[in-house]
Structure formats: C-alpha cells, structure tokens
Amino acid sequence: MSANELTPLDNALQHILDRAPVMSRTETVAVPDSLGRILAESLSVPADVPPADNSAVDGYAVCFGDISPGTPLSVSSRIPAGVAPAPLEPGTAARIFTGSEIPRGADAVVMQERVEYTDNMILIQSDVSPGQNIRRQGQDLARGDLALAEGARIRPQEMGLLASMGISQVPVTARLKVAVLTTGDELVDPGRPLGPGQIYNTNRFTLQGLLAQAGCELVYCETVRDTREATRQALATAAEKADLIITSGGVSVGEEDHVRAVLEASGGLSLWRLAIKPGKPLAFGAMNDTPVLGLPGNPAAVLVTFLVVAMPYIRKRQGRQDILPVGESLPAGFETGAASVRREFVRARKQGSPERPEVVAFPNQSSGVLSSACWADGLAVIPEHTTLRHGDIITFYPFTELLS
C-alpha cells in the first residue's frame, strides 16, 4: 500500500461495506422502547385496520335508498365510538361520531353541518352519495399484507402503525457495540485545567453523541497515550468488548501515529488514505478480527468522516434498508478555486426562499474548526476534479439525513 496513493471515496466505501456483516444478534423490545431501532424481521398485518367500516366525521348514518329530497328522517339511535351498533332501522338515521362503527343497513354518513336538526328529525341539505364519509374496513392495512419490512428503522409513525395492529413487542437488531479510542498525550477532559501544550478532548464527546444518535451502544471509551504499546493494548482490550472500534488520531504519517502502525504490523490494515477532504488519513482494518475504523484527529474531520464513511458502515451492520443518505440538488451560493483530486465535503447551510434556495459555505473550512459544523445544517459536496462556480448545481446532505 503506497503512502502516496489515495483511494477514491466510492471505492473505499465499497471496500468497507463489503466487510460490514449484518448483526446476527436480535432482541425483542416493547413498542414504547423501539424508537430508532431496526426491525429484525418483516411483519405481516395480523388483522384488518380499521377492523370495521367506521365514520370519518361526526354526523348521521343513513341508507342512500331512504333519502328523498325535502323529506326528513327520524333519528332512531345514537352510536358513540367503541360501541357495537344495532342495525339501522329502515327509513331512519343514526347519530354517529368520528371513529364509530357503521351500522348494518347504512351506506353513507352525512356531516352534521349538512343537516338541519329539529325535534329528533333531520333534513339533509346537501347531496349524498353511497360510501361518503365512510372509512372502509382494511383501507389502511389488510390482513396478511406486509406491514413493515425487515431493516426498517422505527420512527414515531412506525410505532403508531405497530400499535394500530395491536402489536406490543417487536423483534429488532441488537445495538452495535462500539469502542471509542481517542489518541494523544495532549488531550485533557473538560473540567480540568489545561497545562502547557494541552487541549480539551473534543473528539471523545463528538463521537459519543454521534454513536448515541446512530443507535449504537458505547461499551468502552479510553484516551490512549502516544506510545506503540499503549495503543496496541487499548486496541486489544477494545477488540474483546466491541463489534466495532472507532479511533480518532494516530492514522497519519507522523512518528506518534501509532494506530495505523499497530494495525499494519499485525496485518490488519486493509485501507488507508482516502481521496476525501477533510479526512484524508483515514484507516480501516481489524484488530483480532474486530473491525477498526481509524478517523483523523482534527475535530471537523472526525465529524465529516463519521457521517460520510462510518454511518453507512453502521447502517449496514444494523441491517438497515437505507444504507446511503439521500441528498438534495441545489444551486451553490459560493465558489471554489483550483480543482482537487479529492472529493470535498463542505460545512454549509441552505438559505434563501423556498422558491430560490441556495447553499452557502462557512468561510473557514479548516479541519480543525468545529464551530463551522455548529453554524452549518449539512454538508455540500464538491466532486473530484471540479471547479465550482456560483449557481452550479451541487449535492447537499442535511445533517438530519446523514444521521437519521
């Protein structure tokens, strides 16, 4: 593997995803605890939803054949929701409410605003058609149909759908167990005073938040000293506990970059140096058969490479259907200089009117400027070998799409 060779991002992603087996561990959780989890098997509809024809409005259930213009109908019954109705008496109407079951003999519901009510009689003041304002049995879900497919991510709407079918527990993929190693003698945890040459450990907390939002379980978190042996021991310990190890720092070409060196010495390094900006010194390999994703050390580069490279890997391991994010095509509200051999992910923000949106970039794209990501609401992509001009159409990935 040449130190000067850069792997194109698409090739690197394919290499990494080819080595991302879907988790075999599953568990069953209650629907209230299923938010954000990944469905481990497809679910069929156990019974029709709704289970019977019901009213879509508050009004009066009638039989279309009983209606004669200008002739009132007597109200023979009242049908609240949750009650099994008696059949509709011929030539009459039944007071009915939204969600109430349609009585046998009725084939339409007239909205209460469309009738004149006097002395338990109604006079219909609008046209009526058979089936109006009736929600048919099974119109949402029919028994035996596919309700949710394996690999679906459970959102609030899926939780509601599960509840509508009477399902209280669901099989989900077990959470991916991840270990985080941040490397560097200069790192100090927040809350302690900084000494000469020290900085606060930004990446540890960025990664913890990213992994929590990605639905992973953090099982080991350590700040590793800049020695070959400390790095080797930390990687070995993490490999015993985790399904995936994520490191920050230690993957470049410096004498103190021990993560890459340890993986290379053990024969576990399979990918290094990507044609991506920021994040060129990214490494992928394994320690004692546990995958290792070595991210750069600069804070903004950690965020970008996690979103672009680590998230697709995690989604694949989780068994998700949607491995890669979906971007928007928008006009660029900024320009670039010389074209690069690397694909650039620019911290950017969508602005302008809904009719004329554009993407603007944070002025300082240094890989050490994490405040740029707090200002931004997504990443704009400048393809390789491309010089960008104002108004050119580019791809924009909102953070919500990258991390959902």
Side-chain angles (χ1 to χ4, degrees):
M1 186 178 298
S2 170
N4 297 318
E5 184 180 347
L6 298 180
T7 303
L9 177 59
D10 294 337
N11 294 357
L13 273 175
Q14 190 61 57
H15 175 92
I16 291 171
L17 293 177
D18 286 344
R19 291 156 180 78
V22 176
M23 293 280 293
S24 60
R25 301 193 308 272
T26 63
E27 59 188 20
T28 300
V29 299
V31 168
D33 300 322
S34 67
L35 183 64
R37 303 301 295 271
I38 311 303
L39 201 60
E41 61 184 57
S42 296
L43 297 179
S44 297
V45 180
D48 289 340
V49 179
D53 291 355
N54 68 85
S55 179
V57 297
D58 293 341
Y60 295 87
V62 298
C63 174
F64 176 76
D66 291 338
I67 298 173
S68 177
T71 302
L73 297 173
S74 65
V75 180
S76 60
S77 62
R78 184 176 185 274
I79 309 172
V83 173
L88 179 67
E89 294 182 18
T92 70
R95 180 69 167 121
I96 197 167
F97 301 90
T98 303
S100 298
E101 185 174 333
I102 302 296
R104 184 161 52 86
D107 58 8
V109 175
V110 184
M111 294 178 64
Q112 63 185 24
E113 296 89 343
R114 300 290 185 265
V115 306
E116 180 181 322
Y117 178 86
T118 306
D119 296 331
N120 209 42
M121 304 285 288
I122 63 167
L123 183 63
I124 299 173
Q125 298 178 320
S126 64
D127 291 337
V128 178
S129 58
Q132 76 174 36
N133 297 320
I134 293 178
R135 295 186 291 218
R136 294 300 183 186
Q137 176 178 342
Q139 76 168 28
D140 189 1
L141 297 167
R143 180 178 181 179
D145 285 353
L146 176 66
L148 293 171
E150 178 182 350
R153 181 172 180 265
I154 299 175
R155 301 167 297 173
Q157 51 266 51
E158 278 79 20
M159 293 173 67
L161 190 70
L162 290 165
S164 77
M165 297 185 290
I167 295 175
S168 62
Q169 294 188 318
V170 288
V172 295
T173 305
R175 294 191 187 277
L176 192 70
K177 296 180 178 180
V178 183
V180 169
L181 304 178
T182 50
T183 67
D185 290 336
E186 75 280 13
L187 300 179
V188 175
D189 284 343
R192 296 173 52 191
L194 292 177
Q198 293 182 324
I199 60 173
Y200 287 118
N201 191 346
T202 303
N203 295 338
R204 175 177 183 174
F205 296 91
T206 298
L207 288 169
Q208 285 181 356
L210 289 167
L211 289 167
Q213 200 159 339
C216 298
E217 179 185 357
L218 184 63
V219 294
Y220 183 66
C221 190
E222 188 69 44
T223 301
V224 184
R225 299 299 97 194
D226 278 331
T227 70
R228 182 74 58 88
E229 182 56 23
T231 302
R232 188 196 65 77
Q233 290 183 0
L235 285 168
T237 300
E240 295 176 354
K241 302 174 181 288
D243 303 309
L244 169 67
I245 303 169
I246 294 181
T247 67
S248 70
V251 291
S252 193
V253 294
E255 295 178 1
E256 301 300 326
D257 290 311
H258 299 297
V259 172
R260 176 189 59 81
V262 169
L263 293 178
E264 195 167 36
S266 68
L269 185 67
S270 65
L271 181 69
W272 182 49
R273 289 170 55 88
L274 271 58
I276 182 177
K277 182 180 181 180
K280 178 174 67 174
L282 183 143
F284 179 76
M287 182 70 177
N288 299 337
D289 295 327
T290 298
V292 179
L293 188 56
L295 306 184
N298 283 317
V302 166
L303 176 69
V304 170
T305 52
F306 184 96
L307 295 175
V308 174
V309 179
M311 269 305 296
Y313 176 89
I314 289 171
R315 286 174 168 176
K316 177 80 179 297
R317 293 291 306 271
Q318 291 172 331
R320 287 181 61 167
Q321 301 167 336
D322 53 337
I323 295 173
L324 298 177
V326 178
E328 304 176 46
S329 295
L330 296 169
F334 62 100
E335 298 185 349
T336 61
S340 172
V341 297
R342 295 190 281 166
R343 189 178 307 176
E344 185 170 2
F345 289 84
V346 175
R347 279 88 75 196
R349 175 189 289 177
K350 184 168 68 171
Q351 66 178 30
S353 66
E355 296 77 20
R356 300 188 64 181
E358 65 176 7
V359 177
V360 295
F362 191 77
N364 189 342
Q365 291 292 319
S366 168
S367 59
V369 179
L370 190 58
S371 60
S372 61
C374 298
W375 173 90
D377 56 18
L379 300 177
V381 183
I382 304 176
E384 304 89 329
H385 313 292
T386 300
T387 300
L388 190 67
R389 297 291 179 240
H390 197 288
D392 289 348
I393 301 300
I394 58 174
T395 301
F396 177 74
Y397 294 101
F399 285 140
T400 50
E401 174 68 21
L402 290 164
L403 257 180
S404 65

PDB file of all heavy atoms in Angstrom, residues 133-154:
ATOM      1  N   ASN A 133     -67.951   9.607   3.377  1.00  0.00           N
ATOM      2  CA  ASN A 133     -67.525   9.773   4.772  1.00  0.00           C
ATOM      3  C   ASN A 133     -67.441   8.456   5.547  1.00  0.00           C
ATOM      4  O   ASN A 133     -67.579   8.440   6.781  1.00  0.00           O
ATOM      5  CB  ASN A 133     -68.438  10.757   5.514  1.00  0.00           C
ATOM      6  CG  ASN A 133     -68.387  12.156   4.922  1.00  0.00           C
ATOM      7  OD1 ASN A 133     -67.316  12.637   4.549  1.00  0.00           O
ATOM      8  ND2 ASN A 133     -69.538  12.806   4.819  1.00  0.00           N
ATOM      9  N   ILE A 134     -67.208   7.363   4.813  1.00  0.00           N
ATOM     10  CA  ILE A 134     -67.023   6.062   5.462  1.00  0.00           C
ATOM     11  C   ILE A 134     -65.601   5.583   5.217  1.00  0.00           C
ATOM     12  O   ILE A 134     -65.144   5.544   4.072  1.00  0.00           O
ATOM     13  CB  ILE A 134     -68.024   5.016   4.935  1.00  0.00           C
ATOM     14  CG1 ILE A 134     -69.446   5.387   5.355  1.00  0.00           C
ATOM     15  CG2 ILE A 134     -67.667   3.621   5.466  1.00  0.00           C
ATOM     16  CD1 ILE A 134     -70.503   4.424   4.831  1.00  0.00           C
ATOM     17  N   ARG A 135     -64.903   5.257   6.296  1.00  0.00           N
ATOM     18  CA  ARG A 135     -63.581   4.642   6.190  1.00  0.00           C
ATOM     19  C   ARG A 135     -63.772   3.125   6.182  1.00  0.00           C
ATOM     20  O   ARG A 135     -64.262   2.550   7.162  1.00  0.00           O
ATOM     21  CB  ARG A 135     -62.691   5.081   7.357  1.00  0.00           C
ATOM     22  CG  ARG A 135     -62.382   6.569   7.332  1.00  0.00           C
ATOM     23  CD  ARG A 135     -61.387   6.978   8.392  1.00  0.00           C
ATOM     24  NE  ARG A 135     -61.945   6.866   9.728  1.00  0.00           N
ATOM     25  CZ  ARG A 135     -61.693   7.741  10.713  1.00  0.00           C
ATOM     26  NH1 ARG A 135     -60.909   8.784  10.501  1.00  0.00           N
ATOM     27  NH2 ARG A 135     -62.210   7.563  11.905  1.00  0.00           N
ATOM     28  N   ARG A 136     -63.395   2.501   5.074  1.00  0.00           N
ATOM     29  CA  ARG A 136     -63.693   1.091   4.893  1.00  0.00           C
ATOM     30  C   ARG A 136     -62.777   0.196   5.722  1.00  0.00           C
ATOM     31  O   ARG A 136     -61.614   0.505   5.967  1.00  0.00           O
ATOM     32  CB  ARG A 136     -63.563   0.718   3.416  1.00  0.00           C
ATOM     33  CG  ARG A 136     -64.585   1.384   2.515  1.00  0.00           C
ATOM     34  CD  ARG A 136     -65.998   1.003   2.909  1.00  0.00           C
ATOM     35  NE  ARG A 136     -67.003   1.575   2.001  1.00  0.00           N
ATOM     36  CZ  ARG A 136     -68.299   1.490   2.203  1.00  0.00           C
ATOM     37  NH1 ARG A 136     -68.768   0.852   3.277  1.00  0.00           N
ATOM     38  NH2 ARG A 136     -69.154   2.036   1.344  1.00  0.00           N
ATOM     39  N   GLN A 137     -63.320  -0.938   6.117  1.00  0.00           N
ATOM     40  CA  GLN A 137     -62.538  -1.946   6.816  1.00  0.00           C
ATOM     41  C   GLN A 137     -61.307  -2.318   5.997  1.00  0.00           C
ATOM     42  O   GLN A 137     -61.399  -2.601   4.801  1.00  0.00           O
ATOM     43  CB  GLN A 137     -63.403  -3.194   7.056  1.00  0.00           C
ATOM     44  CG  GLN A 137     -62.657  -4.358   7.696  1.00  0.00           C
ATOM     45  CD  GLN A 137     -63.561  -5.553   7.961  1.00  0.00           C
ATOM     46  OE1 GLN A 137     -64.788  -5.416   7.976  1.00  0.00           O
ATOM     47  NE2 GLN A 137     -62.972  -6.713   8.167  1.00  0.00           N
ATOM     48  N   GLY A 138     -60.144  -2.280   6.625  1.00  0.00           N
ATOM     49  CA  GLY A 138     -58.904  -2.663   5.966  1.00  0.00           C
ATOM     50  C   GLY A 138     -58.340  -1.639   5.005  1.00  0.00           C
ATOM     51  O   GLY A 138     -57.384  -1.927   4.290  1.00  0.00           O
ATOM     52  N   GLN A 139     -58.885  -0.413   4.969  1.00  0.00           N
ATOM     53  CA  GLN A 139     -58.388   0.557   3.998  1.00  0.00           C
ATOM     54  C   GLN A 139     -56.968   1.014   4.327  1.00  0.00           C
ATOM     55  O   GLN A 139     -56.212   1.396   3.444  1.00  0.00           O
ATOM     56  CB  GLN A 139     -59.309   1.771   3.915  1.00  0.00           C
ATOM     57  CG  GLN A 139     -59.203   2.769   5.057  1.00  0.00           C
ATOM     58  CD  GLN A 139     -59.922   4.087   4.760  1.00  0.00           C
ATOM     59  OE1 GLN A 139     -60.888   4.110   4.002  1.00  0.00           O
ATOM     60  NE2 GLN A 139     -59.458   5.159   5.349  1.00  0.00           N
ATOM     61  N   ASP A 140     -56.567   0.972   5.598  1.00  0.00           N
ATOM     62  CA  ASP A 140     -55.201   1.312   5.981  1.00  0.00           C
ATOM     63  C   ASP A 140     -54.304   0.092   5.789  1.00  0.00           C
ATOM     64  O   ASP A 140     -53.306   0.150   5.066  1.00  0.00           O
ATOM     65  CB  ASP A 140     -55.160   1.796   7.425  1.00  0.00           C
ATOM     66  CG  ASP A 140     -53.802   2.366   7.815  1.00  0.00           C
ATOM     67  OD1 ASP A 140     -52.893   2.405   6.954  1.00  0.00           O
ATOM     68  OD2 ASP A 140     -53.632   2.771   8.981  1.00  0.00           O
ATOM     69  N   LEU A 141     -54.664  -1.014   6.404  1.00  0.00           N
ATOM     70  CA  LEU A 141     -53.899  -2.251   6.298  1.00  0.00           C
ATOM     71  C   LEU A 141     -54.864  -3.427   6.171  1.00  0.00           C
ATOM     72  O   LEU A 141     -55.835  -3.518   6.926  1.00  0.00           O
ATOM     73  CB  LEU A 141     -53.023  -2.455   7.540  1.00  0.00           C
ATOM     74  CG  LEU A 141     -51.936  -1.405   7.804  1.00  0.00           C
ATOM     75  CD1 LEU A 141     -51.389  -1.567   9.210  1.00  0.00           C
ATOM     76  CD2 LEU A 141     -50.827  -1.525   6.776  1.00  0.00           C
ATOM     77  N   ALA A 142     -54.577  -4.312   5.235  1.00  0.00           N
ATOM     78  CA  ALA A 142     -55.407  -5.506   5.056  1.00  0.00           C
ATOM     79  C   ALA A 142     -54.692  -6.716   5.625  1.00  0.00           C
ATOM     80  O   ALA A 142     -53.461  -6.854   5.490  1.00  0.00           O
ATOM     81  CB  ALA A 142     -55.713  -5.731   3.583  1.00  0.00           C
ATOM     82  N   ARG A 143     -55.431  -7.575   6.265  1.00  0.00           N
ATOM     83  CA  ARG A 143     -54.858  -8.755   6.902  1.00  0.00           C
ATOM     84  C   ARG A 143     -54.003  -9.545   5.904  1.00  0.00           C
ATOM     85  O   ARG A 143     -54.408  -9.811   4.778  1.00  0.00           O
ATOM     86  CB  ARG A 143     -55.970  -9.643   7.449  1.00  0.00           C
ATOM     87  CG  ARG A 143     -55.457 -10.902   8.137  1.00  0.00           C
ATOM     88  CD  ARG A 143     -56.612 -11.724   8.694  1.00  0.00           C
ATOM     89  NE  ARG A 143     -56.123 -12.916   9.379  1.00  0.00           N
ATOM     90  CZ  ARG A 143     -56.897 -13.806   9.985  1.00  0.00           C
ATOM     91  NH1 ARG A 143     -58.211 -13.615  10.002  1.00  0.00           N
ATOM     92  NH2 ARG A 143     -56.380 -14.854  10.579  1.00  0.00           N
ATOM     93  N   GLY A 144     -52.788  -9.903   6.345  1.00  0.00           N
ATOM     94  CA  GLY A 144     -51.872 -10.695   5.528  1.00  0.00           C
ATOM     95  C   GLY A 144     -50.917  -9.863   4.696  1.00  0.00           C
ATOM     96  O   GLY A 144     -49.922 -10.388   4.193  1.00  0.00           O
ATOM     97  N   ASP A 145     -51.192  -8.572   4.531  1.00  0.00           N
ATOM     98  CA  ASP A 145     -50.281  -7.718   3.764  1.00  0.00           C
ATOM     99  C   ASP A 145     -48.997  -7.462   4.557  1.00  0.00           C
ATOM    100  O   ASP A 145     -48.949  -7.628   5.782  1.00  0.00           O
ATOM    101  CB  ASP A 145     -50.941  -6.367   3.451  1.00  0.00           C
ATOM    102  CG  ASP A 145     -51.988  -6.468   2.356  1.00  0.00           C
ATOM    103  OD1 ASP A 145     -52.106  -7.564   1.758  1.00  0.00           O
ATOM    104  OD2 ASP A 145     -52.685  -5.481   2.114  1.00  0.00           O
ATOM    105  N   LEU A 146     -47.954  -7.042   3.839  1.00  0.00           N
ATOM    106  CA  LEU A 146     -46.711  -6.656   4.505  1.00  0.00           C
ATOM    107  C   LEU A 146     -46.926  -5.323   5.204  1.00  0.00           C
ATOM    108  O   LEU A 146     -47.292  -4.325   4.585  1.00  0.00           O
ATOM    109  CB  LEU A 146     -45.579  -6.532   3.483  1.00  0.00           C
ATOM    110  CG  LEU A 146     -44.231  -6.034   4.028  1.00  0.00           C
ATOM    111  CD1 LEU A 146     -43.631  -7.052   4.994  1.00  0.00           C
ATOM    112  CD2 LEU A 146     -43.274  -5.734   2.878  1.00  0.00           C
ATOM    113  N   ALA A 147     -46.690  -5.295   6.504  1.00  0.00           N
ATOM    114  CA  ALA A 147     -46.842  -4.055   7.268  1.00  0.00           C
ATOM    115  C   ALA A 147     -45.536  -3.281   7.294  1.00  0.00           C
ATOM    116  O   ALA A 147     -45.484  -2.111   6.921  1.00  0.00           O
ATOM    117  CB  ALA A 147     -47.298  -4.367   8.687  1.00  0.00           C
ATOM    118  N   LEU A 148     -44.467  -3.925   7.733  1.00  0.00           N
ATOM    119  CA  LEU A 148     -43.142  -3.303   7.802  1.00  0.00           C
ATOM    120  C   LEU A 148     -42.109  -4.334   7.376  1.00  0.00           C
ATOM    121  O   LEU A 148     -42.178  -5.501   7.774  1.00  0.00           O
ATOM    122  CB  LEU A 148     -42.842  -2.806   9.217  1.00  0.00           C
ATOM    123  CG  LEU A 148     -43.693  -1.637   9.741  1.00  0.00           C
ATOM    124  CD1 LEU A 148     -43.422  -1.404  11.215  1.00  0.00           C
ATOM    125  CD2 LEU A 148     -43.427  -0.391   8.935  1.00  0.00           C
ATOM    126  N   ALA A 149     -41.139  -3.908   6.573  1.00  0.00           N
ATOM    127  CA  ALA A 149     -40.132  -4.822   6.056  1.00  0.00           C
ATOM    128  C   ALA A 149     -38.927  -4.892   6.978  1.00  0.00           C
ATOM    129  O   ALA A 149     -38.588  -3.929   7.681  1.00  0.00           O
ATOM    130  CB  ALA A 149     -39.689  -4.378   4.655  1.00  0.00           C
ATOM    131  N   GLU A 150     -38.281  -6.031   6.971  1.00  0.00           N
ATOM    132  CA  GLU A 150     -37.028  -6.198   7.704  1.00  0.00           C
ATOM    133  C   GLU A 150     -36.042  -5.094   7.310  1.00  0.00           C
ATOM    134  O   GLU A 150     -35.908  -4.755   6.140  1.00  0.00           O
ATOM    135  CB  GLU A 150     -36.425  -7.569   7.375  1.00  0.00           C
ATOM    136  CG  GLU A 150     -35.093  -7.853   8.026  1.00  0.00           C
ATOM    137  CD  GLU A 150     -34.531  -9.202   7.621  1.00  0.00           C
ATOM    138  OE1 GLU A 150     -35.271  -9.981   6.980  1.00  0.00           O
ATOM    139  OE2 GLU A 150     -33.356  -9.479   7.918  1.00  0.00           O
ATOM    140  N   GLY A 151     -35.393  -4.540   8.300  1.00  0.00           N
ATOM    141  CA  GLY A 151     -34.433  -3.469   8.043  1.00  0.00           C
ATOM    142  C   GLY A 151     -35.018  -2.080   8.147  1.00  0.00           C
ATOM    143  O   GLY A 151     -34.288  -1.095   8.014  1.00  0.00           O
ATOM    144  N   ALA A 152     -36.314  -1.980   8.401  1.00  0.00           N
ATOM    145  CA  ALA A 152     -36.932  -0.657   8.553  1.00  0.00           C
ATOM    146  C   ALA A 152     -36.521  -0.040   9.879  1.00  0.00           C
ATOM    147  O   ALA A 152     -36.453  -0.719  10.907  1.00  0.00           O
ATOM    148  CB  ALA A 152     -38.450  -0.766   8.477  1.00  0.00           C
ATOM    149  N   ARG A 153     -36.250   1.254   9.848  1.00  0.00           N
ATOM    150  CA  ARG A 153     -35.943   1.981  11.078  1.00  0.00           C
ATOM    151  C   ARG A 153     -37.249   2.463  11.670  1.00  0.00           C
ATOM    152  O   ARG A 153     -38.070   3.059  10.993  1.00  0.00           O
ATOM    153  CB  ARG A 153     -35.021   3.161  10.791  1.00  0.00           C
ATOM    154  CG  ARG A 153     -34.613   3.975  12.018  1.00  0.00           C
ATOM    155  CD  ARG A 153     -33.553   4.994  11.634  1.00  0.00           C
ATOM    156  NE  ARG A 153     -33.137   5.783  12.767  1.00  0.00           N
ATOM    157  CZ  ARG A 153     -33.636   6.964  13.091  1.00  0.00           C
ATOM    158  NH1 ARG A 153     -34.605   7.496  12.333  1.00  0.00           N
ATOM    159  NH2 ARG A 153     -33.205   7.638  14.131  1.00  0.00           N
ATOM    160  N   ILE A 154     -37.447   2.192  12.953  1.00  0.00           N
ATOM    161  CA  ILE A 154     -38.710   2.502  13.601  1.00  0.00           C
ATOM    162  C   ILE A 154     -38.706   3.956  14.056  1.00  0.00           C
ATOM    163  O   ILE A 154     -37.927   4.358  14.910  1.00  0.00           O
ATOM    164  CB  ILE A 154     -38.967   1.553  14.789  1.00  0.00           C
ATOM    165  CG1 ILE A 154     -39.029   0.102  14.284  1.00  0.00           C
ATOM    166  CG2 ILE A 154     -40.266   1.918  15.492  1.00  0.00           C
ATOM    167  CD1 ILE A 154     -39.157  -0.926  15.383  1.00  0.00           C
TER     168      ILE A 154
END
